[in-house]
Amino acid sequence: MLSSARLQEQLQQCCRCLPRAPPVNPTLKEDLLNEPEDTTANDDEPPPSPVVAPAPPSKPVVTSSKPKAQQKEPVKPVKPAAPLITPEMVLQMDAPAVIATMQNAEYQNDAALMSAACKQLRVLCRKDEACIVCDKLNAAELICATMSRHVGAATVQQQACAALINLCAGESFGRRDRAVSSGALPAIVDAMNTHLEYPGIQEMAFVAIQNICFGNDAKGTARKEQAIKAGAFEAIIAGILKFEDTPSLLDQGSATLRLLCNKNQLLKVQAMNAGAKKEWLKSSGLLSARVGGLLTNRKSRNAHLRDK
């Protein structure tokens, strides 16, 4: 065992090996001792309020399954439907009734009814008194509107052209002018171009153009010019070429070209440039024998034609 003296000596040697603490600055020690106490802390300040836990969700409110009474909307008056009519009924009507049928929006999209209406106008207008009544009721405007609405319906186009023929026959140039202002000439040309394969439509269209453009009155030249502007030359020539082997179509088509050219050499050249043959434009007297225009008082060669 080590003696107490030897043990003390070893302890002193160990202590000498440890780093000594730096001497304390007496001034700093004095400053620390004299530093004032922190007065910012307030012992009287109340402690912070405790955080309140959120309340548990309330029970869902059960609503009644019965719906609330709804406010009743005012009942709108129902427009009465137009009476049911058939094409057979239209063919028994007088002029005002036919015109009223064509004016009714509920009937206007029915091609069969409109075809029957045009056919009945065609029959009625064989008499000049009926033409006067129909003209006062704007028949030409309704016919043209029907043609535009049913461009693809061949029966409508054929019967409409026939109605225009009789409406514009006779001595009244006013009816011819009103047909032009209603758009009859472009409508007829559209029918010819759309239904080139139907000879009945081509022939009716030829005669309709003749009757509308007939006359040497003050506006007669203007009517012819409007027909040419609408494409009548091209449509007529296409129709003749399609049915050149049919004498009646060749005759009527050639007569229509001659009427529009009106012995004007420049217009004849224009027609030939469009495809007309020179012999078609030679006068044959066909139209001059039909003073006042033509009437469709014969059955159509295509009475069997149906809209497809």
Side-chain angles (χ1 to χ4, degrees):
M1 292 182 63
L2 295 175
S3 60
S4 59
R6 183 60 179 169
L7 180 60
Q8 187 175 4
E9 182 181 357
Q10 290 183 359
L11 288 174
Q12 289 178 356
Q13 291 177 357
C14 291
C15 289
R16 282 195 294 269
C17 295
L18 294 175
R20 293 184 180 182
V24 178
N25 189 342
T27 306
L28 180 59
K29 182 179 180 181
E30 186 176 355
D31 291 341
L32 291 172
L33 293 174
N34 296 329
E35 185 178 356
E37 297 182 0
D38 185 11
T39 59
T40 58
N42 189 357
D43 294 338
D44 297 331
E45 185 178 351
S49 302
V51 178
V52 180
S58 58
K59 294 182 179 180
V61 180
V62 179
T63 58
S64 175
S65 60
K66 297 181 180 180
K68 295 181 179 179
Q70 296 181 352
Q71 186 177 1
K72 294 183 178 180
E73 296 182 0
V75 179
K76 296 180 181 180
V78 179
K79 184 179 177 181
L84 179 64
I85 61 174
T86 64
E88 292 73 21
M89 295 169 64
V90 175
L91 295 176
Q92 302 300 320
M93 293 179 177
D94 59 10
V98 175
I99 296 296
T101 300
M102 298 179 75
Q103 290 174 330
N104 193 320
E106 295 190 34
Y107 300 141
Q108 288 174 347
N109 292 326
D110 190 324
L113 285 181
M114 293 301 102
S115 177
C118 290
K119 183 177 181 179
Q120 183 64 357
L121 288 182
R122 166 191 182 178
V123 172
L124 293 171
C125 288
R126 288 172 182 166
K127 296 181 179 179
D128 198 59
E129 306 82 48
C131 286
I132 295 172
V133 174
C134 291
D135 184 50
K136 289 181 179 180
L137 296 174
N138 300 318
E141 183 177 343
L142 289 170
I143 293 169
C144 295
T146 299
M147 294 178 75
S148 298
R149 189 175 292 110
H150 298 282
V151 175
T155 52
V156 173
Q157 300 301 318
Q158 181 168 332
Q159 295 300 338
C161 287
L164 288 172
I165 290 172
N166 289 355
L167 182 65
C168 296
E171 301 295 334
S172 174
F173 295 116
R175 292 202 294 267
R176 294 180 169 93
D177 291 334
R178 282 184 284 278
V180 172
S181 63
S182 297
L185 293 170
I188 293 169
V189 170
D190 284 346
M192 297 172 72
N193 292 332
T194 304
H195 302 282
L196 181 60
E197 69 276 16
Y198 290 110
I201 293 177
Q202 299 300 316
E203 185 175 10
M204 289 296 177
F206 293 157
V207 182
I209 293 174
Q210 287 183 40
N211 277 16
I212 292 172
C213 296
F214 176 83
N216 292 317
D217 55 303
K219 296 183 179 180
T221 301
R223 292 195 296 272
K224 296 176 180 66
E225 290 175 351
Q226 293 223 23
I228 296 170
K229 186 177 179 180
F233 271 167
E234 293 78 7
I236 294 168
I237 292 166
I240 296 175
L241 291 173
K242 182 73 174 178
F243 301 102
E244 193 171 3
D245 295 335
T246 305
S248 62
L249 268 76
L250 176 59
D251 290 343
Q252 292 293 357
S254 299
T256 309
L257 286 176
R258 292 193 296 273
L259 174 70
L260 295 180
C261 290
N262 199 24
K263 300 180 181 180
N264 185 312
Q265 292 301 319
L266 292 177
L267 291 178
K268 288 183 179 180
V269 172
Q270 182 179 341
M272 287 189 288
N273 289 338
K277 295 181 180 180
K278 190 175 181 179
E279 57 267 25
W280 298 350
L281 302 176
K282 291 181 180 179
S283 178
S284 64
L286 174 65
L287 194 65
S288 61
R290 303 177 187 275
V291 179
L294 306 177
L295 284 171
T296 59
N297 54 9
R298 67 187 186 282
K299 291 184 179 180
S300 169
R301 65 175 63 251
N302 288 292
H304 64 280
L305 185 63
R306 295 289 181 270
D307 184 30
K308 295 182 180 181

